Amino acid sequence: MNNLIKESLTKLKQKNLSNPELDLRILLKYASKKNNEIILSNLNLDDIDVVKFRSYLEKRINRQPIAKIINNKPFWKNDFYVNNFVLDPRPETELIIEEVLNIYRNKNLKLKILDIGTGSGCIAISLAKEYKNASITAIDISKEALEVAEKNLKIHNCYNQIQLKMIDIKNINSKFDLIVSNPPYLTEDQFNNTDPEVKNFEPKLALVGGDDGLKFYREYSNNLKNLMNKSAHFICEIGINQRQDCEQIFENSGLYLNKIVNDLQGIERILSFSKI
Ligand code: GLN
């Protein structure tokens, strides 16, 4: 193994990162002049833009997440552009897509969908690709996040299906068949104790839901019922130990909890509600 690689690996290991070899391979791949898979033991440095690589490595050593360094994160079946103004799409959020697919088996349905707090647009775009006849309103209160979503809409050519709006849920007044959301739900304490990758490089606005993390569920609960058609569903992501509170909040506003989906760690993560 050549010295640059050895030295870089040592630096990453000193930071106690969970996947130093994988991180290194990804950074090398994105700094590579070719597009080959990187094999650390057999690397030709001539194929690497070393200046670019060193700048990527420096960022990773400062705990910048890989996705933010390479401005790319895979979610469901596609890659998405990301920057510091949006959350990196997380694998547990893919469970929202899975749940929608469980409920609406007919992919030709002309679903009217609302995505609240769209961020990078990953949920809306993934649903648009699954349901080619769906029309989706994707809203966010962050102008910068909507710029990222716009970029992803362009990359994935979804302009005809998705409308982006900078608007608060309170000001929406049409009806939908499906409402999805991954709102900010961390408590202030959880945010303060989270990894530097999240705390320093992801937008607090997209992460924290007030002191107890439940602020946005409370806000939605006042509006949701009016935005849902009679047989509509509402599917949202929740944080650790928020199931009981969320169930209460939404049942108080007239919705019924139909299903709880656990994530891979066994944490109750996705709730699916209906009006009837
Ligand atoms: N699961 C994310 C985290 O722990 C939080 C996502 C969210 O607030 N919607 O970093």
Coordinates of all heavy atoms in Angstrom, one line a residue, residues 60-142:
R60 N -13.2 15.3 5.7 CA -13.7 14.1 6.5 C -13.0 14.0 7.9 O -13.7 13.7 8.8 CB -13.3 12.8 5.7 CG -14.0 11.5 6.3 CD -15.5 11.6 6.2 NE -16.1 10.6 7.0 CZ -16.8 10.8 8.1 NH1 -17.0 12.0 8.5 NH2 -17.4 9.8 8.8
I61 N -11.8 14.4 7.9 CA -11.1 14.4 9.2 C -11.8 15.5 10.2 O -11.9 15.3 11.4 CB -9.6 14.7 9.1 CG1 -8.9 13.5 8.5 CG2 -8.9 15.1 10.4 CD1 -7.6 13.6 7.9
N62 N -12.3 16.5 9.6 CA -13.1 17.5 10.4 C -14.5 17.0 10.6 O -15.4 17.8 10.9 CB -13.1 18.8 9.7 CG -11.7 19.5 9.8 OD1 -11.0 19.3 10.8 ND2 -11.3 20.2 8.7
R63 N -14.8 15.8 10.3 CA -16.1 15.1 10.6 C -17.2 15.6 9.6 O -18.4 15.4 10.0 CB -16.5 15.2 12.0 CG -15.4 14.7 13.0 CD -15.3 13.2 13.0 NE -16.5 12.4 13.3 CZ -16.8 12.0 14.5 NH1 -16.0 12.1 15.5 NH2 -17.9 11.3 14.7
Q64 N -16.8 16.1 8.5 CA -17.9 16.4 7.5 C -18.4 15.0 6.9 O -17.5 14.2 6.6 CB -17.3 17.3 6.4 CG -18.3 17.7 5.4 CD -17.9 19.0 4.6 OE1 -17.0 19.7 5.1 NE2 -18.6 19.3 3.6
P65 N -19.7 14.8 6.9 CA -20.1 13.5 6.3 C -19.8 13.3 4.9 O -19.7 14.3 4.1 CB -21.7 13.6 6.5 CG -22.0 14.9 7.1 CD -20.8 15.7 7.2
I66 N -19.5 12.1 4.5 CA -19.1 11.8 3.1 C -20.1 12.4 2.1 O -19.7 13.0 1.1 CB -19.1 10.2 2.9 CG1 -17.9 9.6 3.7 CG2 -19.0 9.9 1.4 CD1 -16.6 9.8 3.0
A67 N -21.4 12.3 2.4 CA -22.4 12.7 1.4 C -22.3 14.2 1.2 O -22.5 14.7 0.1 CB -23.8 12.4 1.9
K68 N -21.9 15.0 2.2 CA -21.8 16.4 2.1 C -20.5 16.8 1.3 O -20.4 17.8 0.7 CB -21.8 17.1 3.5 CG -23.0 16.9 4.3 CD -24.2 17.7 3.7 CE -25.3 17.9 4.7 NZ -26.4 17.0 4.5
I69 N -19.5 15.9 1.4 CA -18.2 16.2 0.7 C -18.4 16.0 -0.8 O -18.0 16.8 -1.6 CB -17.1 15.3 1.3 CG1 -16.9 15.5 2.8 CG2 -15.8 15.5 0.5 CD1 -15.9 14.6 3.4
I70 N -19.0 14.9 -1.1 CA -19.2 14.5 -2.5 C -20.5 15.0 -3.1 O -20.8 14.8 -4.3 CB -19.0 13.0 -2.7 CG1 -20.1 12.2 -2.0 CG2 -17.6 12.5 -2.3 CD1 -20.1 10.7 -2.3
N71 N -21.3 15.7 -2.3 CA -22.6 16.2 -2.7 C -23.5 15.2 -3.3 O -24.2 15.5 -4.3 CB -22.4 17.4 -3.7 CG -21.7 18.6 -3.0 OD1 -20.7 19.0 -3.4 ND2 -22.3 19.1 -2.0
N72 N -23.5 14.0 -2.7 CA -24.4 13.0 -3.3 C -24.7 11.9 -2.2 O -23.9 11.6 -1.4 CB -23.6 12.2 -4.4 CG -24.4 11.2 -5.1 OD1 -25.4 11.5 -5.8 ND2 -24.1 9.9 -4.9
K73 N -26.0 11.5 -2.3 CA -26.4 10.5 -1.3 C -27.5 9.6 -2.0 O -28.5 10.1 -2.5 CB -27.0 11.2 -0.1 CG -27.6 10.2 1.0 CD -26.5 9.7 1.9 CE -27.1 8.7 2.9 NZ -26.2 8.4 4.0
P74 N -27.3 8.3 -2.0 CA -28.3 7.4 -2.6 C -29.5 7.3 -1.6 O -29.3 7.3 -0.4 CB -27.6 6.1 -2.7 CG -26.2 6.3 -2.2 CD -26.1 7.6 -1.5
F75 N -30.7 7.3 -2.2 CA -31.9 7.0 -1.4 C -32.9 6.3 -2.3 O -33.1 6.7 -3.5 CB -32.5 8.4 -1.0 CG -33.8 8.3 -0.3 CD1 -33.9 8.0 1.1 CD2 -35.1 8.4 -1.0 CE1 -35.1 7.9 1.8 CE2 -36.3 8.3 -0.3 CZ -36.3 8.1 1.1
W76 N -33.5 5.2 -1.8 CA -34.4 4.3 -2.5 C -33.7 3.9 -3.8 O -32.7 3.2 -3.7 CB -35.7 5.0 -2.7 CG -36.8 4.1 -3.2 CD1 -37.5 4.1 -4.3 CD2 -37.4 3.0 -2.4 NE1 -38.4 3.1 -4.4 CE2 -38.4 2.4 -3.2 CE3 -37.1 2.4 -1.2 CZ2 -39.1 1.3 -2.9 CZ3 -37.8 1.3 -0.8 CH2 -38.8 0.7 -1.6
K77 N -34.2 4.3 -5.0 CA -33.6 3.8 -6.2 C -32.7 4.8 -6.9 O -32.3 4.6 -8.1 CB -34.7 3.3 -7.1 CG -35.5 2.2 -6.5 CD -36.6 1.8 -7.5 CE -37.4 0.6 -6.8 NZ -38.7 0.3 -7.5
N78 N -32.5 6.0 -6.3 CA -31.8 7.1 -7.0 C -30.7 7.7 -6.2 O -30.7 7.6 -5.0 CB -32.8 8.1 -7.5 CG -33.7 7.6 -8.6 OD1 -34.8 7.2 -8.3 ND2 -33.2 7.5 -9.8
D79 N -29.9 8.5 -6.9 CA -28.9 9.4 -6.2 C -29.4 10.8 -6.1 O -30.0 11.3 -7.0 CB -27.6 9.4 -7.0 CG -26.7 8.2 -6.7 OD1 -27.0 7.4 -5.8 OD2 -25.8 8.0 -7.5
F80 N -29.1 11.5 -5.0 CA -29.6 12.8 -4.8 C -28.5 13.8 -4.5 O -27.6 13.4 -3.8 CB -30.7 12.9 -3.7 CG -31.9 12.2 -4.1 CD1 -32.1 10.8 -3.8 CD2 -33.0 12.8 -4.7 CE1 -33.2 10.1 -4.2 CE2 -34.1 12.2 -5.1 CZ -34.2 10.8 -4.9
Y81 N -28.6 15.0 -5.0 CA -27.7 16.1 -4.7 C -28.0 16.5 -3.3 O -29.2 16.7 -3.0 CB -27.8 17.2 -5.7 CG -27.0 18.4 -5.3 CD1 -25.6 18.5 -5.7 CD2 -27.6 19.4 -4.6 CE1 -24.9 19.6 -5.3 CE2 -26.8 20.5 -4.2 CZ -25.5 20.6 -4.5 OH -24.7 21.7 -4.1
V82 N -27.0 16.7 -2.5 CA -27.2 17.2 -1.1 C -26.1 18.3 -0.8 O -25.0 18.2 -1.3 CB -27.1 16.2 0.0 CG1 -28.3 15.2 -0.1 CG2 -25.8 15.4 0.0
N83 N -26.5 19.2 0.1 CA -25.5 20.2 0.6 C -25.9 20.5 2.1 O -26.8 19.8 2.6 CB -25.4 21.4 -0.3 CG -26.7 22.3 -0.3 OD1 -27.5 22.1 0.6 ND2 -26.8 23.1 -1.2
N84 N -25.2 21.5 2.7 CA -25.5 21.7 4.1 C -26.9 22.3 4.4 O -27.2 22.4 5.6 CB -24.5 22.8 4.6 CG -23.1 22.2 4.7 OD1 -22.8 21.1 4.0 ND2 -22.2 22.8 5.4
F85 N -27.7 22.6 3.4 CA -29.0 23.1 3.7 C -30.1 22.0 3.8 O -31.2 22.4 4.0 CB -29.4 24.1 2.6 CG -28.5 25.4 2.6 CD1 -27.6 25.6 1.6 CD2 -28.6 26.3 3.7 CE1 -26.8 26.8 1.7 CE2 -27.8 27.4 3.7 CZ -26.9 27.6 2.7
V86 N -29.7 20.8 3.6 CA -30.7 19.7 3.7 C -30.1 18.5 4.5 O -28.9 18.4 4.6 CB -31.1 19.2 2.3 CG1 -31.9 20.3 1.5 CG2 -30.0 18.6 1.5
L87 N -31.0 17.7 5.0 CA -30.6 16.5 5.7 C -30.1 15.5 4.6 O -30.7 15.5 3.5 CB -31.8 15.8 6.3 CG -32.3 16.3 7.6 CD1 -33.3 15.2 8.2 CD2 -31.2 16.5 8.6
D88 N -29.1 14.8 4.9 CA -28.8 13.6 4.0 C -29.9 12.6 4.2 O -30.3 12.3 5.3 CB -27.5 12.9 4.5 CG -26.3 13.8 4.2 OD1 -26.4 14.8 3.5 OD2 -25.2 13.4 4.8
P89 N -30.5 12.2 3.0 CA -31.5 11.2 3.1 C -31.0 10.0 3.9 O -29.9 9.6 3.8 CB -31.8 10.8 1.7 CG -31.3 12.0 0.9 CD -30.2 12.6 1.6
R90 N -31.9 9.4 4.8 CA -31.4 8.3 5.7 C -32.2 7.1 5.3 O -33.3 7.1 4.8 CB -31.8 8.6 7.1 CG -31.5 10.1 7.6 CD -30.4 10.0 8.6 NE -30.2 11.1 9.5 CZ -29.6 12.3 9.2 NH1 -29.3 12.6 8.0 NH2 -29.4 13.2 10.2
P91 N -31.5 5.9 5.5 CA -32.2 4.7 5.1 C -33.5 4.4 5.7 O -34.4 3.9 5.1 CB -31.2 3.6 5.5 CG -29.9 4.3 6.0 CD -30.2 5.7 6.0
E92 N -33.7 4.9 7.0 CA -35.0 4.6 7.7 C -36.1 5.4 7.0 O -37.3 4.9 7.0 CB -34.9 4.9 9.2 CG -34.4 6.3 9.6 CD -32.9 6.4 9.8 OE1 -32.2 5.6 9.2 OE2 -32.5 7.2 10.6
T93 N -35.8 6.5 6.3 CA -36.8 7.2 5.7 C -37.4 6.5 4.4 O -38.5 6.7 4.0 CB -36.3 8.6 5.3 OG1 -35.8 9.2 6.5 CG2 -37.4 9.6 4.8
E94 N -36.5 5.6 3.9 CA -37.0 4.7 2.8 C -38.2 3.9 3.2 O -39.0 3.5 2.3 CB -35.9 3.8 2.3 CG -34.8 4.6 1.7 CD -33.6 3.7 1.3 OE1 -33.5 2.5 1.8 OE2 -32.7 4.1 0.5
L95 N -38.4 3.7 4.5 CA -39.5 2.9 5.0 C -40.9 3.6 4.7 O -41.9 3.0 4.6 CB -39.4 2.7 6.5 CG -38.2 1.8 6.9 CD1 -38.1 1.8 8.4 CD2 -38.4 0.3 6.4
I96 N -40.8 5.0 4.5 CA -42.0 5.7 4.1 C -42.4 5.3 2.7 O -43.6 5.0 2.5 CB -41.8 7.2 4.2 CG1 -41.6 7.7 5.6 CG2 -43.0 8.0 3.5 CD1 -41.4 9.2 5.8
I97 N -41.4 5.2 1.8 CA -41.7 4.8 0.5 C -42.3 3.3 0.5 O -43.3 3.0 -0.2 CB -40.5 4.8 -0.4 CG1 -39.7 6.1 -0.3 CG2 -40.8 4.5 -1.9 CD1 -40.3 7.3 -0.8
E98 N -41.7 2.5 1.2 CA -42.1 1.1 1.3 C -43.6 1.0 1.8 O -44.4 0.2 1.2 CB -41.3 0.3 2.3 CG -40.2 -0.5 1.6 CD -39.3 -1.3 2.6 OE1 -39.8 -1.7 3.7 OE2 -38.2 -1.5 2.2
E99 N -43.9 1.8 2.8 CA -45.2 1.8 3.3 C -46.3 2.3 2.3 O -47.3 1.8 2.2 CB -45.2 2.6 4.6 CG -46.3 2.3 5.6 CD -46.7 0.8 5.6 OE1 -45.8 -0.1 5.6 OE2 -47.9 0.5 5.7
V100 N -45.9 3.3 1.6 CA -46.8 3.8 0.5 C -47.0 2.7 -0.5 O -48.2 2.5 -0.9 CB -46.2 5.1 -0.2 CG1 -47.1 5.5 -1.4 CG2 -46.0 6.2 0.8
L101 N -46.0 2.0 -0.9 CA -46.1 1.0 -1.9 C -47.0 -0.2 -1.4 O -47.7 -0.8 -2.1 CB -44.7 0.4 -2.3 CG -43.9 1.4 -3.1 CD1 -42.5 0.8 -3.2 CD2 -44.5 1.6 -4.5
N102 N -47.0 -0.4 0.0 CA -47.9 -1.4 0.6 C -49.3 -1.0 0.5 O -50.2 -1.8 0.3 CB -47.5 -1.6 2.1 CG -46.4 -2.5 2.3 OD1 -46.1 -3.4 1.4 ND2 -45.7 -2.3 3.4
I103 N -49.6 0.3 0.7 CA -50.9 0.8 0.7 C -51.5 0.9 -0.7 O -52.6 0.5 -1.0 CB -51.0 2.1 1.4 CG1 -50.6 2.0 2.9 CG2 -52.4 2.7 1.4 CD1 -50.5 3.3 3.7
Y104 N -50.8 1.5 -1.6 CA -51.3 1.8 -3.0 C -50.6 0.8 -3.9 O -49.5 1.2 -4.4 CB -51.0 3.2 -3.4 CG -51.7 4.2 -2.4 CD1 -51.0 4.9 -1.4 CD2 -53.1 4.5 -2.5 CE1 -51.6 5.8 -0.6 CE2 -53.7 5.4 -1.7 CZ -53.0 6.0 -0.7 OH -53.6 6.9 0.2
R105 N -51.2 -0.3 -4.1 CA -50.5 -1.4 -5.0 C -50.6 -1.0 -6.5 O -49.8 -1.5 -7.2 CB -51.2 -2.7 -4.7 CG -51.3 -3.1 -3.2 CD -50.4 -4.3 -3.0 NE -50.2 -4.4 -1.5 CZ -49.3 -5.2 -1.0 NH1 -48.5 -5.9 -1.8 NH2 -49.1 -5.2 0.3
N106 N -51.6 -0.2 -6.8 CA -51.7 0.1 -8.3 C -50.9 1.3 -8.6 O -51.2 2.4 -8.3 CB -53.2 0.4 -8.5 CG -53.4 0.7 -10.0 OD1 -52.5 0.9 -10.8 ND2 -54.7 0.9 -10.3
K107 N -49.8 1.0 -9.4 CA -48.8 2.1 -9.7 C -49.4 3.1 -10.7 O -48.7 4.1 -10.9 CB -47.5 1.5 -10.2 CG -46.8 0.6 -9.3 CD -45.7 1.3 -8.6 CE -44.8 0.4 -7.8 NZ -43.5 0.1 -8.3
N108 N -50.5 2.8 -11.3 CA -51.1 3.8 -12.2 C -52.0 4.8 -11.6 O -52.5 5.7 -12.3 CB -51.9 3.0 -13.3 CG -50.9 2.1 -14.1 OD1 -49.8 2.5 -14.4 ND2 -51.4 0.9 -14.4
L109 N -52.2 4.7 -10.3 CA -53.2 5.6 -9.6 C -52.7 7.1 -9.8 O -51.5 7.4 -9.8 CB -53.2 5.3 -8.1 CG -54.0 4.1 -7.7 CD1 -53.7 3.8 -6.2 CD2 -55.5 4.2 -8.0
K110 N -53.7 7.9 -9.9 CA -53.4 9.3 -10.1 C -53.4 10.0 -8.7 O -54.3 10.8 -8.4 CB -54.5 10.0 -11.0 CG -54.5 9.5 -12.4 CD -55.4 10.4 -13.3 CE -55.1 10.1 -14.7 NZ -56.3 9.7 -15.5
L111 N -52.5 9.6 -7.9 CA -52.5 10.0 -6.5 C -52.2 11.5 -6.4 O -51.3 12.0 -7.1 CB -51.5 9.3 -5.7 CG -51.8 7.8 -5.4 CD1 -50.6 7.1 -4.8 CD2 -53.0 7.6 -4.5
K112 N -52.9 12.2 -5.5 CA -52.5 13.6 -5.2 C -51.8 13.6 -3.9 O -52.3 13.2 -2.8 CB -53.7 14.5 -5.1 CG -54.0 15.4 -6.2 CD -55.0 16.4 -5.9 CE -54.4 17.7 -5.4 NZ -55.4 18.6 -4.9
I113 N -50.5 13.9 -3.9 CA -49.6 13.7 -2.7 C -49.1 15.1 -2.2 O -48.7 15.9 -3.0 CB -48.5 12.8 -3.1 CG1 -49.0 11.4 -3.7 CG2 -47.5 12.6 -1.9 CD1 -47.9 10.5 -4.2
L114 N -49.0 15.2 -0.9 CA -48.4 16.3 -0.3 C -47.2 15.8 0.5 O -47.3 14.9 1.3 CB -49.4 17.0 0.6 CG -48.8 18.2 1.5 CD1 -48.4 19.4 0.6 CD2 -49.8 18.7 2.5
D115 N -46.0 16.4 0.3 CA -44.8 16.1 1.1 C -44.4 17.3 1.9 O -44.1 18.4 1.3 CB -43.7 15.7 0.1 CG -42.3 15.4 0.8 OD1 -42.4 15.2 2.1 OD2 -41.3 15.5 0.1
I116 N -44.6 17.2 3.2 CA -44.3 18.3 4.1 C -42.9 18.3 4.6 O -42.4 17.4 5.2 CB -45.3 18.3 5.3 CG1 -46.7 18.1 4.9 CG2 -45.2 19.7 6.0 CD1 -47.6 17.8 6.1
G117 N -42.2 19.4 4.3 CA -40.7 19.5 4.7 C -39.9 18.7 3.7 O -39.2 17.8 4.2
T118 N -40.0 19.0 2.5 CA -39.4 18.1 1.5 C -37.8 18.0 1.5 O -37.2 17.0 1.1 CB -39.9 18.4 0.1 OG1 -39.7 17.4 -0.8 CG2 -39.3 19.7 -0.5
G119 N -37.2 19.1 2.0 CA -35.7 19.0 2.0 C -35.1 18.8 0.6 O -35.4 19.5 -0.3
S120 N -34.3 17.7 0.5 CA -33.7 17.4 -0.8 C -34.7 17.0 -1.8 O -34.3 16.9 -3.0 CB -32.7 16.3 -0.6 OG -33.3 15.1 -0.2
G121 N -35.9 16.7 -1.4 CA -36.9 16.3 -2.4 C -36.9 14.8 -2.6 O -37.6 14.2 -3.4
C122 N -36.1 14.1 -1.7 CA -35.9 12.6 -2.0 C -37.2 11.8 -1.9 O -37.4 10.9 -2.7 CB -34.8 12.1 -1.1 SG -35.2 12.1 0.7
I123 N -38.1 12.1 -0.9 CA -39.3 11.4 -0.8 C -40.2 11.6 -2.0 O -40.7 10.7 -2.7 CB -40.1 11.7 0.5 CG1 -39.2 11.4 1.7 CG2 -41.4 10.9 0.6 CD1 -39.8 11.8 3.1
A124 N -40.4 12.9 -2.3 CA -41.3 13.3 -3.4 C -40.8 12.7 -4.7 O -41.6 12.2 -5.5 CB -41.4 14.8 -3.5
I125 N -39.6 12.8 -5.0 CA -39.0 12.3 -6.3 C -39.1 10.8 -6.3 O -39.5 10.2 -7.4 CB -37.6 12.8 -6.5 CG1 -37.6 14.4 -6.7 CG2 -36.9 12.1 -7.7 CD1 -36.3 15.0 -6.7
S126 N -38.8 10.1 -5.2 CA -38.9 8.7 -5.3 C -40.4 8.2 -5.5 O -40.6 7.3 -6.3 CB -38.4 8.1 -3.9 OG -37.1 8.4 -3.7
L127 N -41.3 9.0 -4.9 CA -42.7 8.6 -5.1 C -43.2 8.9 -6.6 O -43.9 8.2 -7.2 CB -43.6 9.3 -4.1 CG -43.5 8.9 -2.7 CD1 -44.4 9.7 -1.8 CD2 -43.9 7.4 -2.6
A128 N -42.7 10.0 -7.1 CA -43.0 10.4 -8.5 C -42.5 9.3 -9.4 O -43.2 9.0 -10.4 CB -42.4 11.8 -8.8
K129 N -41.4 8.8 -9.1 CA -40.8 7.7 -10.0 C -41.6 6.4 -9.9 O -41.7 5.7 -10.9 CB -39.4 7.4 -9.7 CG -38.5 8.6 -9.9 CD -37.4 8.4 -10.9 CE -36.8 9.6 -11.4 NZ -36.7 9.8 -12.8
E130 N -42.1 6.1 -8.7 CA -42.9 4.9 -8.5 C -44.3 5.1 -9.1 O -44.9 4.1 -9.6 CB -43.0 4.6 -7.0 CG -41.7 4.2 -6.3 CD -41.2 2.8 -6.8 OE1 -41.9 2.1 -7.4 OE2 -40.0 2.6 -6.5
Y131 N -44.9 6.3 -8.9 CA -46.3 6.5 -9.4 C -46.2 7.5 -10.5 O -46.3 8.7 -10.2 CB -47.2 6.9 -8.2 CG -47.3 5.9 -7.2 CD1 -46.4 5.9 -6.1 CD2 -48.3 4.9 -7.2 CE1 -46.5 4.9 -5.1 CE2 -48.4 3.9 -6.2 CZ -47.5 4.0 -5.2 OH -47.6 3.0 -4.2
K132 N -46.1 7.1 -11.7 CA -45.9 8.0 -12.8 C -47.1 9.0 -13.1 O -46.9 10.0 -13.7 CB -45.6 7.2 -14.1 CG -44.3 6.5 -14.1 CD -43.1 7.4 -14.4 CE -41.9 6.6 -14.4 NZ -40.7 7.3 -13.9
N133 N -48.3 8.6 -12.6 CA -49.4 9.5 -12.8 C -49.7 10.4 -11.5 O -50.7 11.1 -11.5 CB -50.7 8.7 -13.1 CG -50.5 7.9 -14.4 OD1 -50.0 8.5 -15.3 ND2 -51.0 6.7 -14.4
A134 N -48.9 10.2 -10.5 CA -49.1 11.0 -9.3 C -48.8 12.5 -9.5 O -47.9 12.8 -10.3 CB -48.3 10.5 -8.2
S135 N -49.5 13.4 -8.9 CA -49.0 14.8 -8.9 C -48.8 15.2 -7.4 O -49.6 14.9 -6.5 CB -50.1 15.7 -9.6 OG -51.2 15.7 -8.8
I136 N -47.6 15.7 -7.2 CA -47.1 15.9 -5.9 C -46.8 17.4 -5.6 O -46.2 18.1 -6.4 CB -45.8 15.1 -5.7 CG1 -46.0 13.6 -6.1 CG2 -45.2 15.2 -4.3 CD1 -44.8 12.7 -6.1
T137 N -47.3 17.8 -4.4 CA -46.9 19.2 -4.0 C -45.9 19.0 -2.9 O -46.1 18.2 -1.9 CB -48.1 19.9 -3.4 OG1 -49.2 19.9 -4.4 CG2 -47.8 21.3 -2.9
A138 N -44.7 19.5 -3.1 CA -43.6 19.3 -2.1 C -43.3 20.7 -1.4 O -42.9 21.6 -2.2 CB -42.4 18.8 -2.7
I139 N -43.5 20.8 -0.1 CA -43.4 22.1 0.5 C -42.2 22.2 1.5 O -41.8 21.1 2.1 CB -44.7 22.6 1.2 CG1 -45.0 21.7 2.4 CG2 -45.8 22.6 0.2 CD1 -46.2 22.3 3.2
D140 N -41.7 23.3 1.7 CA -40.6 23.5 2.7 C -40.6 25.0 3.1 O -41.1 25.8 2.3 CB -39.3 23.1 2.2 CG -38.4 22.6 3.3 OD1 -38.0 23.4 4.1 OD2 -38.1 21.4 3.3
I141 N -40.2 25.3 4.3 CA -40.1 26.7 4.7 C -38.7 27.2 4.5 O -38.4 28.4 4.7 CB -40.5 26.9 6.2 CG1 -39.8 25.9 7.1 CG2 -42.0 26.8 6.4 CD1 -39.9 26.2 8.6
S142 N -37.8 26.3 4.0 CA -36.4 26.8 3.8 C -36.2 27.0 2.3 O -36.3 26.1 1.5 CB -35.4 25.7 4.3 OG -34.2 25.9 3.6

